[in-house]
Amino acid sequence: MAEVEETLKRIEAHKGVIGTIVVNAEGIPIRTNLDNSTAVQYAGLLRHLTMLARSTVRDIDPQNDLIVLRIRTKKYEIMVAPENGFLLIVIQNPCE
Amino acid sequence: MEIVHVYTKLRAEFGRQCLFSDRPAELLVDVLPDPSLGLQFIHKTPRDQALQACRDMSEHQVNTERFESDSCGINHVEGGWPKDVNPQEMEQTIRFRKKVEKDESYINSTLQLGSVMEHCIRQNNAVDIYQEYFEDEEEVEESQEPPFAKTINVFRDPNEVKRTVTCLSWHPDSGRKLAAAYSCLEFQKTSKDMSLDSYIWDVENPNRPEMTLKPTSPLVCLEYNPKDSHTLVGGSYNGQIAYWDTRRGSQPVELSSVEQSHRDPVYKIIWLQSKTGTDAFSASTDGQVLWWDVRKLSEPTERLVLDPGREGNLDRALGAISLEFESTMPTKFMVGTEQGVVVSCNRKAKTPAEKIVCTYDGHHGPVYALQRNPFFPKNFLTVGDWTARIWSEDIKESSIMWTKYQMSYLTDACWSPVRPSVFFTVKMDGVLDIWDILFKQNDPTLSLKVCDEALYSLRVQDNGRLVACGSQQGGATLLEICSGLSTLQKNEKSLLAAMFERETKREKILEARQREIRLKERSRSEQSREEEGGREEGEESPDQLIARAENNFFSVVETELRRRREKEDEENRVMSLILYTQQSLTFCSLTFTSENTKVLLLQ
């Protein structure tokens, strides 16, 4: 329990990280440092996209699997990592 | 259970057994070659036949049926929560969250994910992989691709009876809305079911107009107020002016009184630059130009009659069909008339006689469009009959540049607001031409067939990229021009200024020469008059003219009668010849030539 807290705190402390969200299998944000509505929006939208990306990767090569999905936008970068039904979403503003 | 199909047929129904037997070959048909048929063909040697061993491909285009899409929003409520947890209750959600956090799999997964994610974050912070390397360098000149224009949308008249799009006006701020005036300009062709409405379209939604304007008579012209994007003024077919506020609904807020308005359709109405922003002026083929204050449309504030004799005589007035007003020169304006004359007027003249400053006579037919070049206000473009002409204000005799006579009538034209040397014209065969006079003067730079029916109106949006043109069947097409034709090129203004200078000078020289020749002629004719003494040349009295005309007439009649009599005599002679030769059999061709070289063939 404490390790999880520590890990997440460490992530949030990195340079440029704007927000972190941990989502469970049902799409509910368990832990986030953003406001609830934003977190719910991110969770809902990114879940579908991650599942789609994952199935694409596995369709091409069934032995393969998705590790991280990175979406680089004009304003920041969104990184999504799926594991075991859970999702960790991090929004970072890369340094220029 | 096994499902079994059973086919049964009674032995008795089988029929007779087939008995096969052998038979020698029998010749049924023998078609021998017929060499005479070969004469119908021409022998061709050598023959070139190309063969290719490749797959047959065919190209096929399919256009799906137009489908109407509608955008609407859906309200989502937060979901995913298990049934016993109410998402609105803070306590319950917090409790649920705490419960999940204690879960084994959650802890493991999060630790794993944490390490993966940290790696990525560190990567991002280390190197920016999307760094622009050559940002400071100037963008290389794009390769000269051929100009093109793409149709983005077509806005069709939703009514059954289609009317012509007679005028288009862009929304002044964004160019997201387009106001289109619909009416039927053909005399007495309006049917009873024809709707009177005009529409404002949203550029993104071609399925349904955003707003309807309901005048009492179909609108011929419609303009947005450049100062206030909610108000529009329109001129209708019966001569009235109507004023709309889009915030107040589809009915006109005010309508001018029928007695004080024009007596013919109002062909053009333009907003003026004034402190109040409520002045407009309109022109119509009844020969009047009226100024209005839209707050009080019961009567016009000023009236001008386009009489070239400068007497204000309405009977001799020229019918106005287009107007031109440039906000940088607020006292001057120009009117294009049905008679092919462009009249330049000064609004601030003291007497009505002085209002009309000068006329430019150039076209054979009505001047349908008139616009000053936004970069060179001394030069203006007119369109009428089959040509487009560019004029300079100083040269009144003729235009300085003109296109050659096109195959069909030109109906509207306008300059591009971003490129001084580009202008657009539309024609009655449904073609939109884009002319770039710095590039090519003889032909349009780009010629596009927009639709099969005639195009009647044209309007370029202020950014120079979007062009809307309206057709006879009520379809307004929106096109996007390629960037080559809508971005200012280097040195364009100076080159164009030089071109206009050159042409103006040429015309001036020609004019001067003409004047010289005329002077010489006049002096020569005066000399000859002095030599001949008292003979009146040219100025005969009316009686003498009448007498001369009568003599001419009678002599012509006499010669005609004489000719007819001669013809009759000949025919009589021919008839007697026919009777004489009726005894001869079958084909009898008789040629008889008379003094008048007439040939009669009788068979």
Side-chain angles (χ1 to χ4, degrees):
Chain A
M1 207 16 234
E3 295 163 349
V4 170
E5 273 305 313
E6 200 207 307
T7 314
L8 289 173
K9 280 245 166 10
R10 207 173 52 226
I11 290 176
E12 281 163 24
H14 270 286
K15 190 164 98 165
V17 172
I18 302 174
T20 320
I21 310 172
V22 182
V23 186
N24 79 338
E26 275 128 35
I28 302 171
I30 303 295
R31 193 148 164 345
T32 171
N33 64 342
L34 303 167
D35 57 292
N36 193 31
S37 45
T38 321
V40 167
Q41 201 178 20
Y42 268 106
L45 294 167
L46 285 168
R47 183 161 200 86
H48 291 294
L49 189 60
T50 320
M51 289 306 120
L52 187 59
R54 191 152 180 264
S55 59
T56 308
V57 167
R58 288 179 69 109
D59 271 347
I60 295 171
D61 181 6
Q63 313 293 346
N64 213 344
D65 197 1
L66 179 69
I67 295 184
V68 170
L69 177 65
R70 291 209 209 192
I71 306 172
R72 183 73 171 237
T73 73
K74 267 200 281 205
K75 295 188 186 166
Y76 38 66
E77 178 158 342
I78 305 170
M79 289 171 283
V80 188
E83 171 103 23
N84 232 346
F86 290 93
L87 277 183
L88 175 60
I89 304 171
V90 173
I91 305 156
Q92 184 190 17
N93 202 351
C95 60
E96 310 275 316
Chain B
M1 196 188 82
E2 222 185 275
I3 300 174
V4 162
H5 284 278
V6 177
Y7 298 96
T8 52
K9 196 171 182 182
L10 284 178
R11 190 95 211 300
E13 288 171 13
F14 272 117
R16 185 112 58 103
Q17 180 194 21
C18 342
L19 290 164
F20 293 106
S21 65
D22 247 327
R23 204 168 51 158
E26 219 180 85
L27 186 63
L28 291 172
V29 170
D30 187 11
V31 180
L32 292 166
D34 185 1
S36 66
L37 287 177
L39 296 169
Q40 290 180 12
F41 295 87
I42 305 169
H43 207 236
K44 227 172 155 186
T45 56
R47 288 273 297 146
D48 254 313
Q49 178 75 29
L51 289 176
Q52 195 176 359
C54 73
R55 242 187 298 178
D56 271 329
M57 307 275 228
S58 75
E59 197 181 301
H60 185 61
Q61 284 175 11
V62 171
N63 198 12
T64 56
E65 279 204 11
R66 237 167 106 87
F67 78 100
E68 293 209 1
S69 60
D70 200 10
S71 313
C72 62
I74 304 181
N75 191 20
H76 282 285
V77 189
E78 208 178 302
W81 295 97
K83 282 202 206 57
D84 51 357
V85 178
N86 180 4
Q88 316 295 345
E89 290 273 316
M90 279 288 291
E91 279 184 34
Q92 293 189 10
T93 51
I94 291 176
R95 213 187 313 142
F96 179 78
R97 286 205 174 100
K98 285 219 165 45
K99 194 168 55 145
V100 173
E101 280 178 6
K102 297 213 173 54
D103 189 13
E104 257 309 306
S105 62
Y106 169 81
I107 295 175
N108 287 340
S109 313
T110 315
L111 288 173
Q112 283 257 12
L113 290 173
S115 48
V116 169
M117 199 52 85
E118 268 206 78
H119 177 71
C120 295
I121 293 174
R122 287 219 183 89
Q123 253 182 0
N124 269 345
N125 283 334
V127 179
D128 179 16
I129 62 175
Y130 295 103
Q131 185 187 25
E132 282 278 344
Y133 290 126
F134 302 109
E135 224 169 22
D136 303 328
E137 281 195 15
E138 271 255 338
E139 233 185 74
V140 179
E141 185 72 28
E142 269 178 47
S143 61
Q144 289 295 352
E145 51 180 29
F148 64 91
K150 213 167 42 153
T151 310
I152 301 183
N153 254 328
V154 181
F155 306 98
R156 291 186 211 279
D157 188 0
N159 304 85
E160 279 284 324
V161 179
K162 304 280 180 211
R163 305 148 300 157
T164 315
V165 181
T166 45
C167 190
L168 292 161
S169 174
W170 285 97
H171 191 265
D173 293 327
S174 51
R176 285 190 50 93
K177 293 205 238 199
L178 182 64
Y182 294 84
S183 60
C184 185
L185 282 179
E186 288 169 54
F187 187 59
Q188 291 188 343
K189 283 266 180 75
T190 54
S191 67
K192 278 195 297 270
D193 325 325
M194 190 180 93
S195 144
L196 302 172
D197 301 335
S198 291
Y199 301 109
I200 298 181
W201 296 89
D202 183 342
V203 159
E204 315 272 310
N205 182 10
N207 295 322
R208 223 177 311 120
E210 195 187 338
M211 197 170 153
T212 314
L213 301 170
K214 296 191 199 297
T216 50
S217 157
L219 286 178
V220 180
C221 60
L222 186 56
E223 278 290 321
Y224 263 106
N225 188 346
K227 297 268 171 60
D228 180 4
S229 55
H230 293 285
T231 52
L232 298 115
V233 75
S236 53
Y237 195 69
N238 66 354
Q240 283 180 299
I241 311 288
Y243 169 67
W244 274 273
D245 191 332
T246 53
R247 298 167 289 202
R248 309 241 304 249
S250 304
Q251 295 292 335
V253 173
E254 233 190 291
L255 200 56
S256 67
S257 53
V258 181
E259 312 85 53
Q260 296 291 339
S261 316
H262 291 281
R263 294 190 210 118
D264 262 355
V266 181
Y267 278 99
K268 192 87 192 221
I269 187 160
I270 300 187
W271 288 93
L272 288 169
Q273 285 273 9
S274 71
K275 284 193 280 264
T276 54
T278 55
D279 288 325
F281 70 138
S282 63
S284 154
T285 41
D286 66 355
Q288 292 179 63
V289 177
L290 299 174
W291 278 264
W292 305 87
D293 184 339
V294 289
R295 294 169 296 192
K296 184 171 166 295
L297 278 178
S298 52
E299 63 165 9
T301 51
E302 227 182 296
R303 196 184 287 262
L304 171 66
V305 176
L306 287 170
D307 181 12
R310 296 180 168 77
E311 283 173 20
N313 188 352
L314 205 57
D315 296 326
R316 262 188 288 146
L318 307 165
I321 219 171
S322 52
L323 268 182
E324 204 286 327
F325 176 76
E326 179 76 26
S327 35
T328 49
M329 295 192 284
T331 56
K332 288 202 285 190
F333 66 95
M334 291 200 289
V335 185
T337 61
E338 263 188 317
Q339 284 76 9
V341 172
V342 174
V343 183
S344 164
C345 308
N346 185 344
R347 197 181 164 193
K348 290 284 183 280
K350 303 283 182 309
T351 67
E354 280 173 34
K355 283 232 164 114
I356 298 177
V357 173
C358 56
T359 61
Y360 302 87
D361 190 0
H363 282 282
H364 306 295
V367 179
Y368 280 114
L370 177 57
Q371 196 189 8
R372 283 187 202 266
N373 190 327
F375 295 84
F376 297 99
K378 281 194 140 249
N379 298 299
F380 57 95
L381 170 73
T382 62
V383 140
D385 59 55
W386 297 270
T387 55
R389 285 172 194 271
I390 301 181
W391 303 71
S392 166
E393 261 187 353
D394 310 321
I395 314 285
K396 308 200 184 358
E397 303 276 314
S398 81
S399 51
I400 58 173
M401 290 171 71
W402 55 91
T403 67
K404 55 181 187 211
Y405 282 92
Q406 308 285 314
M407 296 309 295
S408 51
Y409 222 77
L410 268 74
T411 47
D412 202 354
C414 57
W415 289 100
S416 162
V418 282
R419 282 198 62 183
S421 64
V422 171
F423 65 92
F424 304 86
T425 58
V426 279
K427 302 209 287 253
M428 285 202 79
D429 57 3
V431 169
L432 166 75
D433 287 327
I434 307 178
W435 299 79
D436 181 354
I437 42 183
L438 279 181
F439 182 66
K440 218 195 309 187
Q441 280 99 33
N442 291 329
D443 290 310
T445 308
L446 181 61
S447 190
L448 284 161
K449 189 152 174 62
V450 173
C451 53
D452 291 326
E453 59 264 7
L455 286 170
Y456 272 93
S457 52
L458 171 72
R459 197 55 88 92
V460 186
Q461 209 238 337
D462 290 326
N463 65 6
R465 290 197 74 120
L466 295 173
V467 173
C469 41
S471 79
Q472 197 179 18
Q473 296 296 325
T477 312
L478 183 65
L479 297 115
E480 184 179 346
I481 315 292
C482 68
S483 55
L485 285 170
S486 55
T487 41
L488 193 61
Q489 311 281 331
K490 298 192 280 243
N491 304 332
E492 192 171 330
K493 271 176 129 173
S494 43
L495 284 171
L496 194 68
M499 178 188 274
F500 282 150
E501 272 286 318
R502 194 180 64 217
E503 298 296 327
T504 317
K505 212 159 52 144
R506 178 180 65 92
E507 279 300 321
K508 262 199 225 142
I509 294 173
L510 282 175
E511 222 184 290
R513 188 95 183 86
Q514 286 264 10
R515 237 177 288 148
E516 269 181 43
I517 293 177
R518 244 179 284 143
L519 254 132
K520 248 186 256 168
E521 283 280 309
R522 218 175 292 152
S523 57
R524 212 186 307 134
S525 69
E526 276 182 21
Q527 278 184 0
S528 63
R529 208 181 299 163
E530 286 169 15
E531 286 173 9
E532 306 227 347
R535 198 177 61 167
E536 281 185 80
E537 193 189 290
E539 291 311 311
E540 284 181 336
S541 69
D543 292 335
Q544 286 178 321
L545 278 168
I546 291 172
R548 197 150 57 92
E550 266 188 33
N551 286 340
N552 279 346
F553 176 67
F554 283 128
S555 54
V556 165
V557 167
E558 289 279 290
T559 39
E560 183 64 31
L561 279 174
R562 216 182 309 135
R563 206 156 39 89
R564 292 227 187 115
R565 247 176 279 135
E566 282 177 15
K567 223 197 316 180
E568 270 180 35
D569 292 340
E570 275 173 34
E571 276 174 11
N572 286 340
R573 262 182 276 149
V574 166
M575 284 305 290
S576 54
L577 218 61
I578 292 171
L579 291 167
Y580 184 72
T581 57
Q582 238 172 7
Q583 310 300 320
S584 50
L585 308 152
T586 55
F587 295 91
C588 163
S589 91
L590 198 75
T591 60
F592 182 86
T593 51
S594 70
E595 306 98 294
N596 296 358
T597 62
K598 222 183 353 192
V599 174
L600 284 170
L601 255 171
L602 302 162
Q603 274 194 313

